[in-house]
């Protein structure tokens, strides 16, 4: 069943049944909050797939990883740090060697040693990784991440296929990679394609076709195919979800044709990041100044692009709502620009790709009211920085009627941790 189009309200007093005023009373602003019930709902949507592998880069807090693990989801890790996060969240590769897959285009030295220590399966995005893995751990089985020669993304920066992308093994190099795998005692058991974030069904059928062609070149050693990530979620009023039944059917048909050729079953994986966590996340900020600059009215917040970078990185659009501090509902609206506190003119949440400042029709608000950046759970907190000497904000999990702080607000000690002033001679 296709999921209905999304509608976004511009005023709210609650998130997932919790009063915004109560959340702010407990944790202050800015703060990220995640609605666990929404994550659970999104996991259930994907139950047709044999394996749901969470691309933790989207939101890697260990509490979120723990809850996903309890829901039967496994993880993708792109660095030694992400592998260790997964282990800290209870994933145990010694008991289940496929619960963490390492996916990258390069091994740094720490990543290769972590892969060796935990015996992780690797999804190789470069021919060099095959050689390096074969030398370090002869007899390894690997997945090849293929760049099919075309890509797709919600922005050029999230397009991960085609000749301009650094990701994956070029589709014409597969035969050479198989020769190299033989030479280095590595067995190719998986194929993976992730062409970018924001997949649609038209691109998907090209991806399936391309994966099938390459799978037939690899042959009967294959046991797994992965659809990668990229499942979109609506960020704007009226945007729809991909029809998951059709999405699954395209991949399942590809899998079945390959099973018929190989004469053995193939496991079908999906590797979403955004789809599982984006809609669960809200960044609550307080409006700290309201000012007019010529024809533009600005709402200036205590959160900036150091807290949520997607608008400045991609011109990404986030739905915005206002919660009045006194709980009133405002009938009047104004076209406003929403910005943050950073000493950077690009610190604007209502911007378009290319940095052009845009206005948004929002309820008339006052200093002290709360402004909520919505659908902020994916690529939100994980991209936060300490730019301008700002502390990274807390993360709060709303679950079964309770609020849990799953990451504390940073302090000045966190800000200067590891820094030293050398003696002057
Ligand atoms: C290899 C791989 N898998 C999965 C994902 C997750 O993508 P999304 O969050 O769009 O689902 C990414 C995102 O960059 C990726 O590079």
């Amino acid at each position: 069943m296709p999921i209905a189009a999304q509608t976004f309200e511009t005023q709210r007093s609650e998130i997932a049944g919790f009063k915004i005023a109560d959340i702010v009373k407990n944790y202050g602003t800015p703060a990220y909050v995640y609605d666990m019930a929404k994550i659970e709902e999104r996991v259930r949507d994907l139950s047709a797939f044999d394996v749901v592998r969470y691309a933790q880069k989207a939101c890697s807090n260990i509490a979120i990883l723990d809850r996903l693990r309890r829901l039967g989801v496994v993880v993708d890790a792109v660095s030694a740090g992400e592998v260790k996060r997964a282990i800290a969240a209870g994933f145990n590769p010694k008991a289940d060697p496929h619960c963490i897959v390492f996916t990258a285009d390069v091994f740094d030295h720490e990543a290769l040693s972590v892969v060796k220590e935990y015996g992780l399966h690797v999804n190789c995005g470069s021919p060099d990784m095959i050689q390096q893995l074969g030398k370090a751990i002869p007899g390894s089985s690997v997945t090849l991440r293929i760049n099919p020669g075309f890509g797709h993304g919600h922005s050029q920066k999230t397009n991960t296929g085609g000749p301009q992308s650094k990701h994956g093994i070029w589709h014409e190099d597969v035969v050479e990679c198989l020769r190299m795998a033989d030479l280095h005692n590595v067995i190719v058991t998986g194929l993976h394609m992730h062409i970018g974030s924001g997949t649609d069904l038209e691109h998907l059928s090209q991806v399936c076709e391309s994966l099938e062609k390459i799978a037939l070149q690899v042959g009967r050693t294959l046991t797994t195919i992965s659809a990668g990530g990229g499942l979109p979620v609506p960020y704007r009023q009226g945007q729809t979800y991909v029809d998951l039944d059709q999405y699954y059917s395209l991949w399942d048909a590809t899998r079945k044709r390959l099973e018929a050729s190989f004469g053995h079953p193939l496991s079908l994986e999906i590797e979403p990041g955004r789809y599982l966590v984006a809609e669960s996340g809200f960044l609550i900020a307080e409006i700290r100044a309201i000012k007019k600059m010529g024809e533009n009215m600005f709402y200036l917040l205590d959160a900036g692009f150091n807290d949520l970078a997607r608008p400045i990185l991609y011109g990404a659009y986030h739905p915005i709502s206002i919660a009045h501090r006194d709980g009133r509902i405002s009938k009047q609206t104004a076209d406003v620009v929403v910005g943050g506190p950073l000493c950077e003119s690009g610190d604007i949440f209502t911007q378009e790709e290319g940095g052009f400042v845009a206005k948004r029709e929002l309820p008339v608000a006052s200093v002290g009211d709360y402004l909520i950046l919505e659908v902020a759970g994916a690529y939100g907190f994980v991209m936060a920085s300490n730019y301008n000497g700002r502390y990274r904000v807390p993360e709060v999990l709303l679950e079964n009627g309770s609020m849990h702080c799953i990451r504390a607000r940073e302090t000045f000690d966190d800000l200067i941790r590891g820094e030293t002033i050398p003696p002057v001679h």
Side-chain angles (χ1 to χ4, degrees), residues 147-174:
N147 178 335
F150 57 88
H152 185 58
H154 66 75
S155 134
Q156 193 45 37
K157 290 178 190 155
T158 59
N159 182 339
T160 59
Q164 289 188 344
S165 167
K166 66 176 181 143
H167 294 295
I169 290 171
W170 189 244
H171 58 115
E172 289 166 336
D173 294 342
V174 170

mmCIF file of all heavy atoms in Angstrom, residues 147-174:
data_model
loop_
_atom_site.group_PDB
_atom_site.id
_atom_site.type_symbol
_atom_site.label_atom_id
_atom_site.label_comp_id
_atom_site.label_asym_id
_atom_site.label_seq_id
_atom_site.Cartn_x
_atom_site.Cartn_y
_atom_site.Cartn_z
ATOM 1 N N ASN A 147 29.476 1.063 -9.374
ATOM 2 C CA ASN A 147 28.977 2.317 -9.945
ATOM 3 C C ASN A 147 28.504 1.968 -11.364
ATOM 4 O O ASN A 147 29.324 1.655 -12.235
ATOM 5 C CB ASN A 147 30.117 3.345 -9.974
ATOM 6 C CG ASN A 147 29.699 4.663 -10.600
ATOM 7 O OD1 ASN A 147 28.772 4.724 -11.413
ATOM 8 N ND2 ASN A 147 30.389 5.721 -10.242
ATOM 9 N N PRO A 148 27.179 2.000 -11.591
ATOM 10 C CA PRO A 148 26.660 1.501 -12.868
ATOM 11 C C PRO A 148 26.883 2.448 -14.051
ATOM 12 O O PRO A 148 26.487 2.141 -15.172
ATOM 13 C CB PRO A 148 25.154 1.349 -12.602
ATOM 14 C CG PRO A 148 24.858 2.335 -11.536
ATOM 15 C CD PRO A 148 26.104 2.465 -10.705
ATOM 16 N N GLY A 149 27.504 3.612 -13.782
ATOM 17 C CA GLY A 149 27.761 4.549 -14.882
ATOM 18 C C GLY A 149 26.742 5.662 -14.925
ATOM 19 O O GLY A 149 26.844 6.579 -15.723
ATOM 20 N N PHE A 150 25.748 5.601 -14.051
ATOM 21 C CA PHE A 150 24.776 6.692 -13.938
ATOM 22 C C PHE A 150 24.375 6.806 -12.462
ATOM 23 O O PHE A 150 24.557 5.873 -11.691
ATOM 24 C CB PHE A 150 23.526 6.444 -14.801
ATOM 25 C CG PHE A 150 22.835 5.152 -14.465
ATOM 26 C CD1 PHE A 150 21.868 5.100 -13.466
ATOM 27 C CD2 PHE A 150 23.170 3.988 -15.114
ATOM 28 C CE1 PHE A 150 21.237 3.902 -13.137
ATOM 29 C CE2 PHE A 150 22.550 2.776 -14.783
ATOM 30 C CZ PHE A 150 21.584 2.738 -13.800
ATOM 31 N N GLY A 151 23.844 7.966 -12.107
ATOM 32 C CA GLY A 151 23.459 8.166 -10.707
ATOM 33 C C GLY A 151 22.197 8.983 -10.606
ATOM 34 O O GLY A 151 21.557 9.299 -11.602
ATOM 35 N N HIS A 152 21.865 9.339 -9.376
ATOM 36 C CA HIS A 152 20.649 10.092 -9.125
ATOM 37 C C HIS A 152 20.748 10.601 -7.692
ATOM 38 O O HIS A 152 21.298 9.939 -6.841
ATOM 39 C CB HIS A 152 19.439 9.157 -9.264
ATOM 40 C CG HIS A 152 18.131 9.876 -9.137
ATOM 41 N ND1 HIS A 152 17.783 10.903 -9.954
ATOM 42 C CD2 HIS A 152 17.110 9.728 -8.265
ATOM 43 C CE1 HIS A 152 16.576 11.351 -9.608
ATOM 44 N NE2 HIS A 152 16.150 10.652 -8.579
ATOM 45 N N GLY A 153 20.212 11.798 -7.425
ATOM 46 C CA GLY A 153 20.253 12.294 -6.052
ATOM 47 C C GLY A 153 19.386 13.514 -5.885
ATOM 48 O O GLY A 153 19.073 14.177 -6.869
ATOM 49 N N HIS A 154 19.015 13.834 -4.617
ATOM 50 C CA HIS A 154 18.185 15.019 -4.406
ATOM 51 C C HIS A 154 19.008 16.276 -4.648
ATOM 52 O O HIS A 154 18.497 17.367 -4.804
ATOM 53 C CB HIS A 154 17.539 15.020 -3.016
ATOM 54 C CG HIS A 154 18.496 15.147 -1.863
ATOM 55 N ND1 HIS A 154 19.104 16.326 -1.533
ATOM 56 C CD2 HIS A 154 18.947 14.231 -0.975
ATOM 57 C CE1 HIS A 154 19.881 16.132 -0.468
ATOM 58 N NE2 HIS A 154 19.800 14.870 -0.119
ATOM 59 N N SER A 155 20.342 16.119 -4.712
ATOM 60 C CA SER A 155 21.228 17.238 -5.010
ATOM 61 C C SER A 155 22.438 16.618 -5.703
ATOM 62 O O SER A 155 22.716 15.420 -5.527
ATOM 63 C CB SER A 155 21.629 17.897 -3.688
ATOM 64 O OG SER A 155 23.005 18.149 -3.626
ATOM 65 N N GLN A 156 23.185 17.414 -6.488
ATOM 66 C CA GLN A 156 24.377 16.873 -7.151
ATOM 67 C C GLN A 156 25.337 16.294 -6.110
ATOM 68 O O GLN A 156 26.045 15.328 -6.348
ATOM 69 C CB GLN A 156 25.033 17.986 -7.984
ATOM 70 C CG GLN A 156 26.085 17.513 -8.973
ATOM 71 C CD GLN A 156 25.683 16.282 -9.773
ATOM 72 O OE1 GLN A 156 24.533 16.092 -10.160
ATOM 73 N NE2 GLN A 156 26.654 15.400 -9.995
ATOM 74 N N LYS A 157 25.305 16.857 -4.887
ATOM 75 C CA LYS A 157 26.238 16.391 -3.852
ATOM 76 C C LYS A 157 25.823 15.061 -3.245
ATOM 77 O O LYS A 157 26.585 14.463 -2.490
ATOM 78 C CB LYS A 157 26.352 17.457 -2.753
ATOM 79 C CG LYS A 157 27.078 18.697 -3.235
ATOM 80 C CD LYS A 157 27.115 19.733 -2.127
ATOM 81 C CE LYS A 157 27.621 21.065 -2.672
ATOM 82 N NZ LYS A 157 27.146 22.189 -1.883
ATOM 83 N N THR A 158 24.601 14.603 -3.510
ATOM 84 C CA THR A 158 24.208 13.289 -2.976
ATOM 85 C C THR A 158 24.013 12.273 -4.101
ATOM 86 O O THR A 158 23.460 11.203 -3.883
ATOM 87 C CB THR A 158 22.917 13.383 -2.141
ATOM 88 O OG1 THR A 158 21.868 13.901 -2.958
ATOM 89 C CG2 THR A 158 23.086 14.266 -0.931
ATOM 90 N N ASN A 159 24.486 12.622 -5.286
ATOM 91 C CA ASN A 159 24.452 11.696 -6.411
ATOM 92 C C ASN A 159 25.698 10.819 -6.306
ATOM 93 O O ASN A 159 26.819 11.327 -6.279
ATOM 94 C CB ASN A 159 24.479 12.533 -7.703
ATOM 95 C CG ASN A 159 24.399 11.678 -8.943
ATOM 96 O OD1 ASN A 159 24.695 10.494 -8.911
ATOM 97 N ND2 ASN A 159 24.004 12.287 -10.032
ATOM 98 N N THR A 160 25.521 9.510 -6.200
ATOM 99 C CA THR A 160 26.681 8.655 -5.950
ATOM 100 C C THR A 160 26.962 7.687 -7.096
ATOM 101 O O THR A 160 27.609 6.663 -6.900
ATOM 102 C CB THR A 160 26.521 7.871 -4.625
ATOM 103 O OG1 THR A 160 25.335 7.078 -4.742
ATOM 104 C CG2 THR A 160 26.383 8.781 -3.438
ATOM 105 N N GLY A 161 26.471 8.007 -8.284
ATOM 106 C CA GLY A 161 26.797 7.170 -9.441
ATOM 107 C C GLY A 161 27.238 8.040 -10.607
ATOM 108 O O GLY A 161 27.105 9.267 -10.554
ATOM 109 N N GLY A 162 27.764 7.376 -11.658
ATOM 110 C CA GLY A 162 28.208 8.127 -12.835
ATOM 111 C C GLY A 162 29.679 8.485 -12.745
ATOM 112 O O GLY A 162 30.305 8.323 -11.693
ATOM 113 N N PRO A 163 30.254 8.967 -13.865
ATOM 114 C CA PRO A 163 31.705 9.200 -13.904
ATOM 115 C C PRO A 163 32.193 10.320 -12.990
ATOM 116 O O PRO A 163 33.377 10.401 -12.690
ATOM 117 C CB PRO A 163 31.973 9.544 -15.378
ATOM 118 C CG PRO A 163 30.655 9.891 -15.973
ATOM 119 C CD PRO A 163 29.599 9.232 -15.153
ATOM 120 N N GLN A 164 31.278 11.197 -12.530
ATOM 121 C CA GLN A 164 31.733 12.278 -11.637
ATOM 122 C C GLN A 164 31.723 11.853 -10.181
ATOM 123 O O GLN A 164 32.119 12.620 -9.310
ATOM 124 C CB GLN A 164 30.820 13.489 -11.798
ATOM 125 C CG GLN A 164 31.028 14.165 -13.136
ATOM 126 C CD GLN A 164 30.270 15.474 -13.221
ATOM 127 O OE1 GLN A 164 29.376 15.729 -12.429
ATOM 128 N NE2 GLN A 164 30.647 16.295 -14.176
ATOM 129 N N SER A 165 31.236 10.652 -9.918
ATOM 130 C CA SER A 165 31.154 10.199 -8.535
ATOM 131 C C SER A 165 32.415 9.416 -8.177
ATOM 132 O O SER A 165 32.916 8.634 -8.980
ATOM 133 C CB SER A 165 29.920 9.313 -8.364
ATOM 134 O OG SER A 165 30.011 8.653 -7.127
ATOM 135 N N LYS A 166 32.886 9.580 -6.956
ATOM 136 C CA LYS A 166 34.071 8.824 -6.514
ATOM 137 C C LYS A 166 33.679 7.452 -5.982
ATOM 138 O O LYS A 166 34.520 6.677 -5.560
ATOM 139 C CB LYS A 166 34.810 9.604 -5.432
ATOM 140 C CG LYS A 166 34.004 9.738 -4.149
ATOM 141 C CD LYS A 166 34.784 10.432 -3.076
ATOM 142 C CE LYS A 166 33.918 10.491 -1.815
ATOM 143 N NZ LYS A 166 34.607 10.321 -0.605
ATOM 144 N N HIS A 167 32.378 7.154 -5.967
ATOM 145 C CA HIS A 167 31.910 5.959 -5.258
ATOM 146 C C HIS A 167 31.829 4.720 -6.156
ATOM 147 O O HIS A 167 31.340 4.785 -7.281
ATOM 148 C CB HIS A 167 30.530 6.204 -4.649
ATOM 149 C CG HIS A 167 30.541 7.240 -3.573
ATOM 150 N ND1 HIS A 167 31.217 7.062 -2.396
ATOM 151 C CD2 HIS A 167 29.973 8.468 -3.496
ATOM 152 C CE1 HIS A 167 31.058 8.133 -1.636
ATOM 153 N NE2 HIS A 167 30.315 8.990 -2.284
ATOM 154 N N GLY A 168 32.266 3.611 -5.583
ATOM 155 C CA GLY A 168 32.023 2.312 -6.203
ATOM 156 C C GLY A 168 33.063 1.922 -7.248
ATOM 157 O O GLY A 168 33.960 2.688 -7.605
ATOM 158 N N ILE A 169 32.917 0.681 -7.705
ATOM 159 C CA ILE A 169 33.800 0.120 -8.737
ATOM 160 C C ILE A 169 33.117 0.355 -10.075
ATOM 161 O O ILE A 169 31.937 0.038 -10.237
ATOM 162 C CB ILE A 169 34.021 -1.385 -8.459
ATOM 163 C CG1 ILE A 169 34.885 -1.533 -7.197
ATOM 164 C CG2 ILE A 169 34.613 -2.099 -9.662
ATOM 165 C CD1 ILE A 169 35.003 -2.937 -6.676
ATOM 166 N N TRP A 170 33.847 0.910 -11.007
ATOM 167 C CA TRP A 170 33.263 1.242 -12.309
ATOM 168 C C TRP A 170 32.728 -0.034 -12.961
ATOM 169 O O TRP A 170 33.408 -1.059 -12.958
ATOM 170 C CB TRP A 170 34.317 1.931 -13.171
ATOM 171 C CG TRP A 170 33.785 2.509 -14.441
ATOM 172 C CD1 TRP A 170 34.107 2.122 -15.712
ATOM 173 C CD2 TRP A 170 32.828 3.572 -14.572
ATOM 174 N NE1 TRP A 170 33.409 2.886 -16.621
ATOM 175 C CE2 TRP A 170 32.614 3.787 -15.951
ATOM 176 C CE3 TRP A 170 32.125 4.366 -13.657
ATOM 177 C CZ2 TRP A 170 31.729 4.748 -16.435
ATOM 178 C CZ3 TRP A 170 31.251 5.325 -14.137
ATOM 179 C CH2 TRP A 170 31.054 5.499 -15.515
ATOM 180 N N HIS A 171 31.529 0.031 -13.515
ATOM 181 C CA HIS A 171 30.849 -1.184 -14.000
ATOM 182 C C HIS A 171 31.658 -1.936 -15.056
ATOM 183 O O HIS A 171 31.566 -3.150 -15.168
ATOM 184 C CB HIS A 171 29.456 -0.815 -14.540
ATOM 185 C CG HIS A 171 29.465 0.199 -15.644
ATOM 186 N ND1 HIS A 171 29.062 -0.087 -16.917
ATOM 187 C CD2 HIS A 171 29.862 1.491 -15.671
ATOM 188 C CE1 HIS A 171 29.189 0.999 -17.666
ATOM 189 N NE2 HIS A 171 29.662 1.962 -16.934
ATOM 190 N N GLU A 172 32.501 -1.199 -15.801
ATOM 191 C CA GLU A 172 33.262 -1.902 -16.851
ATOM 192 C C GLU A 172 34.495 -2.613 -16.278
ATOM 193 O O GLU A 172 35.173 -3.327 -16.997
ATOM 194 C CB GLU A 172 33.704 -0.893 -17.924
ATOM 195 C CG GLU A 172 32.527 -0.388 -18.760
ATOM 196 C CD GLU A 172 32.873 0.848 -19.587
ATOM 197 O OE1 GLU A 172 33.809 1.580 -19.202
ATOM 198 O OE2 GLU A 172 32.200 1.067 -20.604
ATOM 199 N N ASP A 173 34.781 -2.377 -14.993
ATOM 200 C CA ASP A 173 35.990 -2.960 -14.401
ATOM 201 C C ASP A 173 35.705 -4.237 -13.610
ATOM 202 O O ASP A 173 36.584 -4.761 -12.925
ATOM 203 C CB ASP A 173 36.660 -1.942 -13.452
ATOM 204 C CG ASP A 173 37.186 -0.744 -14.207
ATOM 205 O OD1 ASP A 173 37.341 -0.854 -15.445
ATOM 206 O OD2 ASP A 173 37.409 0.306 -13.574
ATOM 207 N N VAL A 174 34.476 -4.726 -13.700
ATOM 208 C CA VAL A 174 34.101 -5.850 -12.836
ATOM 209 C C VAL A 174 34.903 -7.110 -13.175
ATOM 210 O O VAL A 174 35.402 -7.808 -12.274
ATOM 211 C CB VAL A 174 32.576 -6.112 -12.922
ATOM 212 C CG1 VAL A 174 32.203 -7.408 -12.239
ATOM 213 C CG2 VAL A 174 31.816 -4.951 -12.286
#
